Amino acid sequence: MEISNLTKETLIRMFKEGKRFDSRQLTELRDIEVSYNVSNKAEGSARVKIGKTEVVVGVKMAMGEPYPDSPDKGNLTVSADLLPLASPRFEMGPPDFPGIELPRLVDRIIRESHIIQLDKLVIKEGEKVWTVFIDVYPINDDGNLIDAASLGAVAALKNAKIPMLDKDGKIDYDKDSKESIPLTKDISPLSFSFFKIGDSVILDPTREEEEAADARITFGISKWNGQYVINSCQKSGEEPLTQAEIENMMSVITKKFDEVTQKLKKYI
Amino acid sequence: MAKEKESSFKRSDGRKLNEMRPMIAKVGIIPNADGSAMFTFGNTIAIAAVYGPRKLHPQHMQNPQKAVLRCNYDLLSFSVSDRKKPGPSRRSQEISKVTEWALSPALDLNSFPNTVVDVQIYILQADAGTRTAGINAASLALAHAGIPMRDLICSVAVGKLDKNLVVDLTKEEEDFEEGEGATDFAMAKIANSDEFTLMQLDGKIQPEVINEVTKLATEACKQIYEVQKKALKDVVESNGGKK
Amino acid sequence: MRNDINEAHDAEEDISSSGSDESKKRKVVVPGEVIVSGEDYLPGEGAKRLGENIISIRFGLAEELGRVIKVIPIFGAFVPRRNNVIIGRVTDITFYGWLLDIDSASSAFLPIEESPRFVNKNEMEQFLAIGDVVSAKIWSVKSKGIDLTLKGKGLGKLEGGFIFRVIPSRVPRVIGREGSMINLIKDKTGCQITVGQNGWIWIKGDNVDAEIKARKAIEFVTDKVHIEGLTDKVEKWFEENK
């Protein structure tokens, strides 16, 4: 159900008092669950649940040519399909803007954090490299798909193995592999999407809260040698963000990064 | 006929000729949907969601007599060894259509003119039997959505490996090459009746053997029906019917 | 206004096919399943006769009412019927009236003549703008669409508060027998509440906490599939969530 005028006004009033329908604080996240092995045909796969939001992410590997401007690096391709299975809002046919934006955001969150050592995915320089495909599918959309998707992508990458090659150098997907994708030690990016509703800013909205939002900003964040790094950022929506709001986000995001990283330790 | 041959022919995973892979069915897996379910045959995992009856656009597709049933079947890109490119293929479009035909005889859509009932089926992990697992999941999701149905639909593949009839083939069995090779016959039927709603065959099979195939499919469908029935009742018993 | 809305509910409850009488025998049935055998029984809604059996044509709770066997659905989309009181959201304004989203498969239309007072054609937006919410009654269901009216007690534009959705088939239990459940929740929270048969519910209270509590209580009711002793459970819930 799309947001109505009176519900939106009530949400603005509630957020002003720091309250939410599910009793969370404005920057409090819902429970997160991560599990693996969505598909044994994937090189790695993960299922992420944040409240009632659920996404599955799979990693597939294939051999291909490097891009001309990076002959010494493997390729990364992120795609997403907003399956009409996951929400009455998602329709069949060519993707609308949210369907285009989601994989682009996940791509930057992953790529710019340098979690994948693409230079170690070269089979023959200039000729043959590994392509890492990350495919994101929502199963149930109850808000905050982007953060769920980027978390799923990281989990699936950490779970992924490079497939074995046969005598002729062709991929044998059926052979068990022990070799993980080369990942940078200690780098594990997350994304946090802040939503502005009235004068309030919240994290991890439900679908209903997301509908009421006037603006969103998504940050990809990681930690390099103990130092927080913002790797990507995109503001969406017409409503501007004030300097004070941005400052506040920057103080919240580092705390949230540590908090979620800690919580995810039992999964990732 | 199966009895005598059972001793001589060994299936690669050690199953009896008429033995299905372990089945798991779960209803209510997608809170957003009006109805949803998962169904697995061994390593094949299908999920389905039903939305509707709801508005059908464009208008010229509407039927003033009843709701239109619209099925969409597809593989997730990482459900198969060679990554499947996202988006519909000719294969998935054909399966979507035969799935519609397999399910519609059980449905009574006359009370919902000009609307659509959308059935979305996706395969998370494929090891043969994806369309049949998808139909079983979809049948559950339709029932879960409260759509009037005269019965459930059960679906299974019956195969012929050389001269031996077996139920519920794996991918490995589909690739069987000895003797007469592998034949794969995907079937669906109305659970409590002898009417078949899906029949799709690839391979070679003698006309008189088809009669055996329908009998084997009927026996297998009885087991599927029990699994489906339990999954639906569990969603009420376990009080898990959240939306 | 509050009492008027109550009356609208009660009227709704009387014609609604499924009350919440807790003494009736109920069992979970799936489509095609034999509910009872014998020529004495008659198939009601959600059931049909096949040979000497009465079988279910819905997934739901089978119920015996004397000789009549019917099946009450527990899941599924809203199917509009004449006289249903529903909550809708204005999606468009035309020359002749308002188009509303009422979460049903056909579009709903509120003709300008069906507003509770005279509305000038030039001032339609002042009365109901896009995104506004009304409590309305369905006065006709045709294959091409649904017609609504605001003429009637407790109907009209809803101001303040918020709306949310529950599974439409759970609406009878939210209302309860002769409104017992909804009245309990109103008493305990002091909120005004209107329950649409389409599963959309409007709540308005004196403060945010009361509104949040009223919604949680209703969701407690709708999350339960079984309804035996539900009123007692809700009383207890309020004790535990003071």
Side-chain angles (χ1 to χ4, degrees):
Chain A
M1 117 179 184
E2 274 175 62
I3 194 96
S4 57
N5 299 348
L6 52 81
T7 304
K8 181 164 177 174
E9 280 158 26
T10 294
L11 282 173
I12 290 171
R13 189 159 49 88
M14 284 174 60
F15 294 144
K16 224 172 225 165
E17 291 185 34
K19 288 168 180 161
R20 296 169 90 166
F21 277 124
D22 53 13
S23 305
R24 279 185 291 153
Q25 291 171 347
L26 298 191
T27 57
E28 189 179 339
L29 310 182
R30 291 170 288 181
D31 285 341
I32 303 175
E33 265 177 62
V34 182
S35 59
Y36 295 96
N37 300 322
V38 177
S39 168
N40 63 5
K41 303 284 174 168
E43 273 64 81
S45 59
R47 178 190 310 270
V48 171
K49 288 187 186 178
I50 304 184
K52 283 187 193 166
T53 288
E54 179 177 342
V55 296
V56 294
V57 181
V59 171
K60 285 297 294 176
M61 306 272 289
M63 281 190 281
E65 283 178 25
Y67 291 112
D69 59 350
S70 57
D72 55 349
K73 279 190 176 131
N75 303 325
L76 170 66
T77 301
V78 180
S79 61
D81 198 347
L82 300 186
L83 305 180
L85 161 118
S87 167
R89 298 179 304 116
F90 297 162
E91 285 171 12
M92 306 286 296
D96 57 0
F97 186 72
I100 292 165
E101 190 187 27
L102 174 67
R104 292 186 57 82
L105 292 175
V106 174
D107 183 297
R108 271 132 67 189
I109 291 156
I110 298 297
R111 188 185 303 273
E112 301 304 326
S113 74
H114 291 85
I115 178 178
I116 308 177
Q117 296 181 307
L118 290 174
D119 54 345
K120 294 199 176 153
L121 288 171
V122 179
I123 299 163
K124 190 169 184 209
E125 190 173 323
E127 284 178 27
K128 215 182 209 182
V129 297
W130 286 108
T131 296
V132 180
F133 290 98
I134 299 178
D135 290 320
V136 176
Y137 295 98
I139 300 296
N140 191 70
D141 173 20
D142 189 28
N144 205 18
L145 271 185
I146 298 163
D147 294 355
S150 56
L151 175 52
V154 171
L157 280 171
K158 294 199 176 187
N159 174 247
K161 301 277 184 275
I162 298 180
M164 303 286 272
L165 303 183
D166 65 14
K167 293 186 292 281
D168 311 322
K170 289 227 175 82
I171 298 175
D172 182 353
Y173 285 109
D174 292 332
K175 225 186 224 171
D176 265 348
S177 166
K178 295 260 181 303
E179 194 189 348
S180 296
I181 292 184
L183 300 180
T184 312
K185 204 171 162 279
D186 298 332
I187 288 185
S188 195
L190 287 170
S191 74
F192 290 93
S193 301
F194 293 85
F195 290 76
K196 183 174 174 178
I197 301 160
D199 293 326
S200 306
V201 172
I202 66 167
L203 275 177
D204 190 25
T206 60
R207 183 64 218 156
E208 175 182 48
E209 293 170 334
E210 210 170 277
E211 291 260 347
D214 305 305
R216 187 205 76 227
I217 186 162
T218 298
F219 295 100
I221 175 172
S222 56
K223 219 171 183 178
W224 295 8
N225 303 322
Q227 194 65 44
Y228 300 107
V229 187
I230 301 288
N231 300 115
S232 63
C233 160
Q234 179 145 308
K235 179 189 165 301
S236 87
E238 287 178 9
E239 187 68 20
L241 299 171
T242 66
Q243 189 167 348
E245 282 165 348
I246 297 163
E247 278 171 17
N248 195 32
M249 287 173 197
M250 288 306 98
S251 76
V252 168
I253 198 169
T254 53
K255 288 189 204 107
K256 286 290 155 187
F257 180 83
D258 288 343
E259 182 190 310
V260 175
T261 303
Q262 188 61 32
K263 269 192 195 154
L264 291 175
K265 270 197 177 138
K266 63 174 167 178
Y267 297 119
I268 296 184
Chain B
M1 68 160 248
K3 276 246 164 75
E4 308 141 33
K5 285 182 183 162
E6 208 153 342
S7 50
S8 62
F9 184 78
K10 286 263 184 306
R11 295 180 75 171
S12 55
D13 56 7
R15 279 185 289 156
K16 289 186 215 132
L17 300 187
N18 63 351
E19 185 181 342
M20 307 218 279
R21 291 175 283 177
M23 290 180 275
I24 301 170
K26 204 169 171 225
V27 170
I29 56 163
I30 300 167
N32 277 344
D34 293 311
S36 60
M38 174 197 78
F39 191 94
T40 75
F41 281 128
N43 281 329
T44 293
I45 306 171
I47 57 172
V50 167
Y51 289 91
R54 62 178 177 181
K55 278 195 190 97
L56 177 55
H57 300 293
Q59 215 166 22
H60 70 82
M61 285 173 71
Q62 295 180 355
N63 181 337
Q65 248 102 49
K66 59 178 191 173
V68 173
L69 176 70
R70 188 164 59 182
C71 294
N72 175 49
Y73 157 102
D74 210 347
L75 300 163
L76 295 196
S77 62
F78 51 82
S79 66
V80 284
S81 292
D82 286 307
R83 177 178 181 268
K84 189 217 163 254
K85 280 206 186 94
S89 61
R90 281 165 193 265
R91 175 184 177 274
S92 70
Q93 287 178 52
E94 184 189 63
I95 294 178
S96 298
K97 198 66 204 172
V98 297
T99 297
E100 254 168 49
W101 291 328
L103 293 166
S104 62
L107 304 178
D108 175 8
L109 300 175
N110 293 316
S111 340
F112 318 109
N114 298 314
T115 66
V116 63
V117 173
D118 272 311
V119 180
Q120 294 288 339
I121 302 165
Y122 288 94
I123 306 304
L124 300 185
Q125 182 172 283
D127 183 17
T130 63
R131 79 196 64 189
T132 53
I135 289 169
N136 291 330
S139 168
L140 283 172
L142 284 160
H144 183 217
I147 306 293
M149 301 167 81
R150 70 170 159 122
D151 212 335
L152 294 177
I153 296 288
C154 307
S155 183
V156 70
V158 175
K160 189 161 100 15
L161 304 180
D162 186 15
K163 292 184 168 60
N164 309 281
L165 289 185
V166 299
V167 295
D168 186 24
L169 304 189
T170 60
K171 182 79 182 64
E172 192 183 348
E173 288 178 320
E174 276 185 357
D175 298 337
F176 184 86
E177 282 175 346
E178 290 165 43
E180 294 180 11
T183 299
D184 176 33
F185 202 164
M187 320 269 286
K189 70 181 278 286
I190 296 173
N192 292 294
S193 122
D194 62 357
E195 297 158 273
F196 289 85
T197 63
L198 169 78
M199 295 179 77
Q200 254 189 324
L201 176 141
D202 287 303
K204 31 190 165 327
I205 195 162
Q206 297 77 3
E208 64 274 17
V209 180
I210 299 279
N211 300 330
E212 291 297 321
V213 170
T214 57
K215 280 180 204 154
L216 262 178
T218 301
E219 285 309 307
C221 284
K222 277 186 189 155
Q223 295 174 51
I224 295 167
Y225 181 61
E226 290 307 317
V227 172
Q228 287 176 315
K229 215 158 89 174
K230 185 170 184 305
L232 281 167
K233 297 202 173 185
D234 278 354
V235 78
V236 181
E237 307 301 340
S238 69
N239 207 8
K242 293 190 180 182
K243 160 120 192 177
Chain C
M1 172 96 182
R2 252 177 89 182
N3 289 332
D4 289 350
I5 286 172
N6 259 333
E7 281 171 28
H9 284 161
D10 293 346
E12 199 49 49
E13 177 66 3
D14 291 340
I15 53 160
S16 143
S17 59
S18 44
S20 56
D21 188 339
E22 286 160 14
S23 65
K24 286 171 207 153
K25 272 189 293 174
R26 290 188 163 102
K27 75 169 181 182
V28 184
V29 291
V30 307
E33 186 174 349
V34 175
I35 308 170
V36 287
S37 296
E39 302 291 341
D40 294 344
Y41 293 103
L42 294 170
E45 212 170 318
K48 74 167 188 181
R49 172 165 291 285
L50 192 70
E52 59 180 24
N53 298 323
I54 303 289
I55 68 160
S56 171
I57 54 166
R58 296 284 287 271
F59 170 46
L61 296 169
E63 192 176 272
E64 263 184 68
L65 294 159
R67 295 167 59 209
V68 180
I69 306 293
K70 64 176 189 176
V71 178
I72 304 161
I74 30 185
F75 298 94
F78 169 58
V79 179
R81 292 181 189 197
R82 191 179 142 84
N83 282 332
N84 279 168
V85 171
I86 50 82
I87 291 176
R89 187 179 52 88
V90 177
T91 56
D92 204 359
I93 304 175
T94 75
F95 191 69
Y96 302 102
W98 297 267
L99 283 171
L100 278 88
D101 176 9
I102 63 164
D103 210 351
S104 83
S106 29
S107 45
F109 183 65
L110 173 65
I112 191 165
E113 302 79 39
E114 292 299 325
S115 25
R117 59 176 171 79
F118 176 78
V119 176
N120 193 312
K121 277 210 194 297
N122 307 319
E123 293 170 349
M124 290 173 70
E125 206 177 340
Q126 278 89 305
F127 179 60
L128 284 176
I130 290 171
D132 280 352
V133 174
V134 297
S135 159
K137 186 181 258 186
I138 295 175
W139 66 267
S140 90
V141 180
K142 296 192 197 98
S143 68
K144 280 291 172 193
I146 293 162
D147 285 321
L148 302 173
T149 182
L150 294 186
K151 288 178 181 167
K153 273 188 178 174
L155 306 179
K157 183 178 172 183
L158 297 171
E159 315 232 22
F162 63 93
I163 57 171
F164 67 106
R165 183 186 189 272
V166 302
I167 301 179
S169 54
R170 309 281 161 88
V171 163
R173 78 178 61 169
V174 174
I175 295 170
R177 200 177 188 190
E178 284 155 14
S180 58
M181 183 65 82
I182 200 66
N183 287 335
L184 172 68
I185 297 171
K186 283 180 187 175
D187 286 348
K188 294 277 184 189
T189 60
C191 290
Q192 302 175 53
I193 306 175
T194 296
V195 182
Q197 291 291 322
N198 57 343
W200 290 14
I201 296 176
W202 175 75
I203 293 177
K204 184 185 178 181
D206 296 335
N207 59 68
V208 164
D209 291 330
E211 290 175 331
I212 292 174
K213 184 175 265 187
R215 175 173 182 169
K216 280 188 173 163
I218 289 171
E219 284 173 341
F220 177 81
V221 171
T222 54
D223 281 354
K224 298 266 175 294
V225 176
H226 282 304
I227 60 176
E228 278 78 23
L230 201 48
T231 315
D232 292 344
K233 282 181 190 150
V234 174
E235 295 250 22
K236 212 174 146 206
W237 183 89
F238 274 112
E239 286 302 311
E240 287 162 1
N241 292 277
K242 268 191 173 161

